[in-house]
């Protein structure tokens, strides 16, 4: 919409410019031509705002009276002659506001701002406008005519690498492709900034598809752009929700149209957001929010949350109405309310993610190489003959660490970052602020930080960070350690074995593990893909038992150690019935054996375990450094 408005004003300027030039030509017959001047054209909508203030700013003096029911009412005041009476203070406030607005510099449209900042010689513009105002190398402004052929030339210049920046609109995206095609000269990775997405999810998908197509050298990076006004998340959330709905309707599967572009916490109309809003209302009624009070919120938004007796109503306003009313508040108040609301959403999403109940659609696992090493038929449908399979797939993934130059650029652009190093492991991390959580009963914020590592990111609570081994170091020490980690991780290939339940899954859905509900698609570089649900090693035996499959699956000791380190508990029956789990003891994670026969304690210690008496109870642990060997001794897998 901003681009269309700018183009309309340019057409007006073109008409007025024609009149001025014609009058100058007529005068040139009688006098010499005047010296050339620089155009000074502002393409803004300030006059509409000024006209609105002059007409609609409330300046009439109001007279307050009581009606027959003793209710206070007001009507415009008139003098003895019937003429309207105006409030001089309101008129002065209106004139001062108009004077301030007229003194402010014009705000450029996003398109013109990009052209002025980077220069029209460096930006390829593919839009529908036929005129544009550009600044020449000598600083003078001039009107430039454009045609459909001009847009084709601009797009070709970008694909050939002569212009590194491309700006296209709805009108400029029809029928064209701007992806890193293997047939184009410019095969650099595209960074697609989504500016002014609008309300049409189908058009948003069409625009994003211009830079993401088949036969490309690299996939693009999508960057939705918003300002620091948290209320703008209302519109981005609508796009996220409509993308999800559109994907579910058009594809007929759980993979959504968002393609993972938005985080589940970004959807402000999801089930997590609706539940968080009810918690926010409870905290508001309890006076536990710092952003606003209950009476002020109802007065400013017009939402009635309590009945005549001051009791909270059973039916709260829907989240769409609540979001729309929040947009009417001042920016600072919007931001504080959204910070609390988003913290509640993040708390619920994080809890669902930890419990394995977070539904994020289909998660794609991109690998360099995938090999199917085992295929077990779990079930064959008696009517259709369709089968369910458990595939064992060996995957290889190459690490792509973040370079030192890139992480330092991120650090230079954020004043709240800190350079960290772990005194135990010697690893480096860049600490940045992350979205906070919130305690749902008392409304106490729980600050969090994000640790950016060369190959991964992790989130920690600030309190946990203070109790950990991370400490702040100077920039030079951080850079040396980061560069060393990047060199060690560069071109390193990680191998992993995954088990994937695929095929007809609905009849066996209840037999699959309930603590990990994500559906995954494994895709290798050759284009082969496998779709299904991941089954961890410790769930395989239970899966076979539930389906009545007589197949003995003895987990190797290293697989058990890896599963326990990831936080899963494993029950074994040989040589003794016991449980292997991860426990936090004295601030460090250990591998603990529970349910073991106490009379065989000496046997376990001979196998390599050690004991510790904690609160008058003897607990049995496996040394973390030699967990594979000790577990192999216990399970009788030495050979």
């Amino acid at each position: 919409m901003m681009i269309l408005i700018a183009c309309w004003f340019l057409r007006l300027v073109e008409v007025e410019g024609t009149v001025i030039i014609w009058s100058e030509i007529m005068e040139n017959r009688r006098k010499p031509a005047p010296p050339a001047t620089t155009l000074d054209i502002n393409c803004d909508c300030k006059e509409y705002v000024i006209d609105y203030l002059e007409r609609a700013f409330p300046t009439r003096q109001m007279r307050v009276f009581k009606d027959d029911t003793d209710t206070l009412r007001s009507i415009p005041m008139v003098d003895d002659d019937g003429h309207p009476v105006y409030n001089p203070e309101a008129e002065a406030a209106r004139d001062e506001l108009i004077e301030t607005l007229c003194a402010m510099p014009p705000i450029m449209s996003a398109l013109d701002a990009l052209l002025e900042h980077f220069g029209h010689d460096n930006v390829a513009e593919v839009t529908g406008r036929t005129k544009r105002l550009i600044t020449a190398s000598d600083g003078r402004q001039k009107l430039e005519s454009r045609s459909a052929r001009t847009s084709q030339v601009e797009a070709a210049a970008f694909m050939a690498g002569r212009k590194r920046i491309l700006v296209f609109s709805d009108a400029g995206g029809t029928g064209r492709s701007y992806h890193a095609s293997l047939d184009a000269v410019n095969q650099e990775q595209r960074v697609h900034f989504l500016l002014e997405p609008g309300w049409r999810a189908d058009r948003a998908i069409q625009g994003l598809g211009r830079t993401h197509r088949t036969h490309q050298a690299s996939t693009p990076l999508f960057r939705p752009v918003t300002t620091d006004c948290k209320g703008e998340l209302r519109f981005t959330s609508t796009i996220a929700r409509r993308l999800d709905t559109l994907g579910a309707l058009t594809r007929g599967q759980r993979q959504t149209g968002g393609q993972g572009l938005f985080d589940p916490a970004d959807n402000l109309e999801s089930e997590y957001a609706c539940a968080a809003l009810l918690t926010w209302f409870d905290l508001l009624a309890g006076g536990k929010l710092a952003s606003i009070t209950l009476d002020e919120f109802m007065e400013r938004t017009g939402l009635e949350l309590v009945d005549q007796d001051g009791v909270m109503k059973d039916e709260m306003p829907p989240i769409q109405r609540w979001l729309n009313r929040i947009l009417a508040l001042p920016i600072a108040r919007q931001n504080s309310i959204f910070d609390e609301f988003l913290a509640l959403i993040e708390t619920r999403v994080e809890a669902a993610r930890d419990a394995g109940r977070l539904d994020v659609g289909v998660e794609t696992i991109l690998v360099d190489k995938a090999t199917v090493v085992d295929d077990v038929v779990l079930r064959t449908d008696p009517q259709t003959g369709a089968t369910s399979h458990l595939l064992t797939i060996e995957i290889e993934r190459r690490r792509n660490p973040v370079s030192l130059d890139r992480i330092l650029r991120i650090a230079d652009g954020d004043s709240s970052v800190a350079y960290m190093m772990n005194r135990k492991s010697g690893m480096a991390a860049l600490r940045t602020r992350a979205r906070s959580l919130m305690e749902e009963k008392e409304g106490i914020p729980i600050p969090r930080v994000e640790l950016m590592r060369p190959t991964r990111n992790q989130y920690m609570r600030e309190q946990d960070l203070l109790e950990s081994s991370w400490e702040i170091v100077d920039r030079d020490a951080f850079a040396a350690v980061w560069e060393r980690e990047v060199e060690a991780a560069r071109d390193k290939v990680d191998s992993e074995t995954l088990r994937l339940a695929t095929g007809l899954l609905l009849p066996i859905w209840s037999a699959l593990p309930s603590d990990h509900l994500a559906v995954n698609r494994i895709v290798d570089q050759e284009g082969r893909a496998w779709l299904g649900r991941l089954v961890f090693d410790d769930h395989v035996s239970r899966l076979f038992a539930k389906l009545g499959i007589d197949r003995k699956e003895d987990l190797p000791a290293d697989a058990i150690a890896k599963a326990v380190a990831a936080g899963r508990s494993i029950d074994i029956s040989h040589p003794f019935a016991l449980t292997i789990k991860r426990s936090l003891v004295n601030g460090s994670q250990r591998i603990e054996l529970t349910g073991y026969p106490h009379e065989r304690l000496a046997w376990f210690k001979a196998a390599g375990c050690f004991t510790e008496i904690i609160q008058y109870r003897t607990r049995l642990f496996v040394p973390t450094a030699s967990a594979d060997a000790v577990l192999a001794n216990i399970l009788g897998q030495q050979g």
Side-chain angles (χ1 to χ4, degrees), residues 505-579:
L505 294 183
L506 187 59
I508 66 170
W509 192 267
S510 59
L512 296 173
S514 59
D515 58 349
H516 187 77
L517 300 180
V519 178
N520 298 88
R521 174 184 282 108
I522 301 176
V523 182
D524 63 3
Q525 288 188 344
E526 298 179 2
R528 297 181 299 172
W530 298 267
L531 179 66
R533 281 185 56 183
L534 289 180
V535 179
F536 298 107
D537 293 337
D538 51 302
H539 291 144
V540 174
S541 298
R542 280 177 279 178
L543 176 62
F544 287 162
K546 290 181 179 179
L547 297 178
I549 299 176
D550 186 14
R551 176 165 173 164
K552 189 173 182 298
E553 282 285 329
D554 292 331
L555 287 179
D558 57 346
I560 294 178
K562 185 182 298 183
V564 173
R568 294 190 294 274
S569 299
I570 298 180
D571 298 325
I572 63 174
S573 57
H574 177 79
F576 309 104
L578 54 87
T579 300

Side-chain angles (χ1 to χ4, degrees), residues 297 300-303 320-329:
F297 177 79
R300 285 179 171 268
T301 62
L303 294 176
Q320 293 84 0
R321 186 185 306 167
W322 180 83
L323 289 170
N324 292 336
R325 298 295 177 89
I326 292 297
L327 297 178
L329 299 177

